[in-house]
Amino acid sequence: MPGRSIRTYTVLPSLPKSLEPLQKLVYNLWWCWNADAVALFRRINPDLFETLDHSPIRLLRSTEQTRFDELSEDGGFLAHMERVVESLDHYMKASTWFGQTFKADSGTCVAYFSAEFGTHESVPVYSGGLGVLAGDHLKSASDLGIPLVGVSLMYREGYFRQYLNVDGWQQERYPENDFFTLPLVPELKADGTPVIVSVQLPGREVSLRIWHIQVGRVPLYLLDANIAANRAEDRGITAQLYGGDEQMRIQQEIILGIGGIRALRAIGKNPSVCHMNEGHAAFVGLERIRMLMEEEKLDFATASEAVKAGTCFTTHTPVPAGNDAFPAQLMDQYFGDYISKLGIDRQGFYALGRIHPENQSEPFSMTVLAIKLANTSNGVSALHGVVSRKMWNGIWPTLPDVEVPITSITNGVHTQTWLSPEIGQLFDRYIGIHWEEEPTDFAIWKRVESIPDAELWRTHERCRERLVAMARSRLKAQLKRRGTSPAEIDKAEEILDPDALTIGFARRFATYKRGDLLFRDLERITKLLGDKDRPIQFIFSGKAHPKDIGGKELIARVVQYAKREEFRKRIVFLEDYDMNVCRTLVQGVDVWLNNPRRPLEASGTSGMKVAVNGGLNLSILDGWWCEGYDGENGWAIGSGEEYQDLAYQDEVESRALYELLEKEVLPAFYTRGKDGLPRAWIKRMKRSISTLVPVFNTNRMVEEYTERCYLPSHRRFLKLSGNHLKGATELAAWRRKIKGDWGQVLVEQIDAPNGDMLRVGGDLDVKVRVHLGSISPNDVEVQLCYGLLDSMGQIADPKAKALLPSGTVADGRVSFAGTVACQASGQFGFSVRVLPSHPNLPHAFEPGLVTWG
């Protein structure tokens, strides 16, 4: 109704007084990882709960008043509700790992920035692995009591919903989220009006409203541009996750980083540490520097020292093309005025986002910006750490890859979120209830051996039956949407066998993940699928990015194979992959198949979710599986080879996959004793649980982030920002002097054996004369880098030993000396280098100054 003023009002369900505690429960997502709470909501109306994406708020909105009246008189339901509310109250008040372990660091506040958070399917503001990992991160931070808050955008349409046409081609639809049916609470001022912050975009300001979702003990703050104060096109900035072009992407990332930190300040949160989950949030570092400059009247160099001290960065992308980078013209458009506020010139600004600052044509990389503004950077698996160090070694061109200061913290999953209720009850019964509070305790998980084989197997079979029922139901719904004949829809009841070996493949459909590798040899896969004595079946699911034509073609090929008459009952592709489909899949499959091209899988977490439920992984040795596989807890495709010829790689690894299925997986599953139990298979299930679950969970992961990143960063931030930023001021002045004088540094002479034969048990003595000029010996570290030589005559894995000053020579020349013990035989080599040294540097390589002898 254009031109008319519309007033709004809200209608809430009229809950009887005895049921009012339900309102408290639905607004804390703690309920979604508490099986008893989920069971409580399902009890209200199980069919409706399923239909409404397991959303308790929508359930309460849609339930008839007569049902509430019934429940208010149902003693069993009221007792159940009271038990769940008491559990929540106990959880919120209980002492935590962080509170008990780090009492001296009670002032820590970590802000975790991510473009998406996958907390539950009823809050659809996530796309896939990155978001689900971020959601699991919040849940474990809550369990552990980490003083952390999440920051993201509140997408009106979220990520797309997927449906397939008759040819199997992916189509997208973007239904709008009804904020009223989400667990959103607006951030309000004391006078009851919304808290509003703004960010500058070219030629205008965009206002942002702040919403709040409670995830256990952790708040998640979400920024929303869809408010009346903004222009129509600006209201759409927070419409879609990963939608639009470069203009939309940079606008969203400005809102996330710059708007996000402003929002926290506006509601009274002043984080000592900001964690950038992927490069999308890297602008937060720039805004923290600008704010500190403005508030404390500092120069850029001093403010950046303090901000870097309190910043952590995690990269998730193992290919350069997957990292956001913007052309200079676009950066000028959006940051032309902002640069002047930082007090640096255009060249200095672009140097922050370029590997080679002097290269004027190099785009501005968000990942490079994040690395340069953080004091800790990490990949998400050990292998991904290796890949990341190679990818970004250009930032430290004089360092060998192995020493590039990017470490790794391997991903995990939130155990309770992904565990089936039935398996959870088994754990309670046989390994004790402490697994929930201490999921990283190996001793607890070793008790899995005490679970009777028959009980574990029957429980798993029930989960598989539920998966088959879900697959049939969703397939029938898919066929109805496509206008399929009733006869064909009825045939959906015949697909899959609840007793057959069931293998799942579900993930983002990107070409490197090779979703159709299974079909490379049609004759062989046809024979496997046609075996009536040892039936095998596959369930596929996943989305391709709307602009990824290659990924869409992959989906279409899989769907076409599934339509073949000889495959129809044994292969299913489930549309619209989300957390709900994922949960049922990982709880019900026997085997999880993962066959990416190594080393392009940064980590992967879906296989970890399968292990929680006793499923087995069949995977390329890539990402997390390199660390998880021990030879007895699943299967590895290949031995970790990497190929240049991709067609040859597909041929070799598809053959290896068939061999494993034919000779190991199927025999293990179908070799049964007189009691009908596959004892060898169950042994692998228990091995999978006991070796993988205590390691690949987000409690272990978040503990690592806390001990290796958050607390060291918090303490460095306090040290540099205390006493009116005295530490940061001194460090900035020291850095300027060192950078200006570093050209004087020269390794003039090295006295050491060259080509000599030394014996094990002897010593390598090294003396070095270094010209330091005006630089003090206290401001450098002279190191001996030594190690075994590889076939190319390079030191493959160098070790560093500091040499000590042994006397001063005139004219700024200083002697250093040291000894290395010869502990093993072989061909060794060494080099000498000089690095800057300051007690407030996060690491010696951070200034990027290295002089080699």
Side-chain angles (χ1 to χ4, degrees), residues 779-796:
D779 290 333
V780 301
E781 183 169 291
V782 180
Q783 293 182 343
L784 187 70
C785 289
Y786 65 97
L788 275 168
L789 298 180
D790 60 20
S791 60
M792 303 301 291
Q794 300 297 313
I795 302 173

Side-chain angles (χ1 to χ4, degrees), residues 273-519:
V273 179
C274 287
H275 182 178
M276 302 174 290
N277 190 41
E278 196 54 283
H280 309 127
F283 292 141
V284 69
L286 293 178
E287 179 62 7
R288 290 179 80 199
I289 291 170
R290 187 203 63 77
M291 292 167 76
L292 201 54
M293 290 174 65
E294 181 181 282
E295 293 165 2
E296 300 291 337
K297 308 300 181 226
L298 304 172
D299 61 6
F300 179 86
T302 303
S304 64
E305 293 293 356
V307 169
K308 279 192 286 188
T311 306
C312 309
F313 170 58
T314 298
T315 175
H316 294 260
T317 312
V319 289
N323 293 267
D324 282 349
F326 301 114
Q329 182 180 2
L330 192 65
M331 290 298 295
D332 283 341
Q333 180 185 350
Y334 281 88
F335 283 88
D337 295 336
Y338 195 92
I339 294 173
S340 62
K341 296 175 183 176
L342 296 175
I344 54 177
D345 60 19
R346 184 176 180 275
Q347 184 178 350
F349 176 77
Y350 277 94
L352 295 170
R354 286 174 173 162
I355 294 176
H356 307 289
E358 69 285 351
N359 182 358
Q360 298 300 311
S361 62
E362 183 180 332
F364 189 96
S365 167
M366 296 295 284
T367 302
V368 173
L369 176 65
I371 290 172
K372 289 186 176 182
L373 292 185
N375 81 135
T376 71
S377 297
N378 69 278
V380 289
S381 70
L383 178 60
H384 183 230
V386 173
V387 172
S388 298
R389 287 188 284 275
K390 287 181 180 177
M391 274 179 62
W392 305 110
N393 65 352
I395 301 174
W396 297 272
T398 58
L399 289 182
D401 291 349
V402 71
E403 290 190 307
V404 168
I406 300 176
T407 184
S408 64
I409 295 177
T410 301
N411 284 344
V413 298
H414 186 252
T415 305
Q416 286 172 270
T417 292
W418 301 104
L419 183 68
S420 81
E422 297 90 342
I423 295 289
Q425 289 167 11
L426 269 189
F427 290 166
D428 287 347
R429 197 151 58 243
Y430 290 103
I431 70 176
I433 60 173
H434 294 295
W435 67 266
E436 294 183 13
E437 298 165 5
E438 302 175 46
T440 60
D441 190 333
F442 273 92
I444 289 175
W445 293 104
K446 283 181 180 177
R447 296 181 206 150
V448 165
E449 295 295 333
S450 67
I451 300 176
D453 286 0
E455 206 166 341
L456 177 59
W457 185 245
R458 303 303 177 216
T459 302
H460 172 66
E461 286 190 311
R462 286 198 297 276
C463 295
R464 192 195 310 123
E465 288 167 4
R466 186 168 64 238
L467 168 59
V468 169
M470 183 271 283
R472 288 172 176 171
S473 172
R474 289 183 75 97
L475 181 60
K476 287 169 74 173
Q478 290 170 200
L479 295 173
K480 284 179 183 176
R481 281 195 298 271
R482 292 179 209 157
T484 310
S485 68
E488 284 297 311
I489 294 172
D490 289 342
K491 285 184 180 179
E493 285 294 341
E494 301 170 7
I495 63 112
L496 303 180
D497 178 349
D499 297 319
L501 172 63
T502 303
I503 298 180
F505 181 99
R507 53 189 40 85
R508 180 168 59 91
F509 263 71
T511 50
Y512 79 85
K513 294 179 184 278
R514 298 187 294 180
D516 62 346
L517 187 69
L518 183 70
F519 304 103

Side-chain angles (χ1 to χ4, degrees), residues 118 128-134 136 139 411-420 423 427 506-507 577-579 581-589 592 604-617 624 688-689 692-693 696-698:
L130 178 73
V132 172
L133 175 80
D136 282 6
K139 293 170 186 176
N411 284 344
V413 298
H414 186 252
T415 305
Q416 286 172 270
T417 292
W418 301 104
L419 183 68
S420 81
I423 295 289
F427 290 166
R507 53 189 40 85
Y577 187 49
D578 66 0
M579 290 180 73
V581 175
C582 177
R583 190 183 303 108
T584 311
L585 267 170
V586 299
Q587 292 174 0
V589 295
W592 195 253
T605 55
S606 53
M608 303 173 189
K609 298 167 185 136
V610 172
V612 166
N613 293 285
L616 302 178
N617 280 271
W624 79 283
S688 176
I689 295 169
L692 301 178
V693 176
F696 299 99
N697 66 76
T698 41

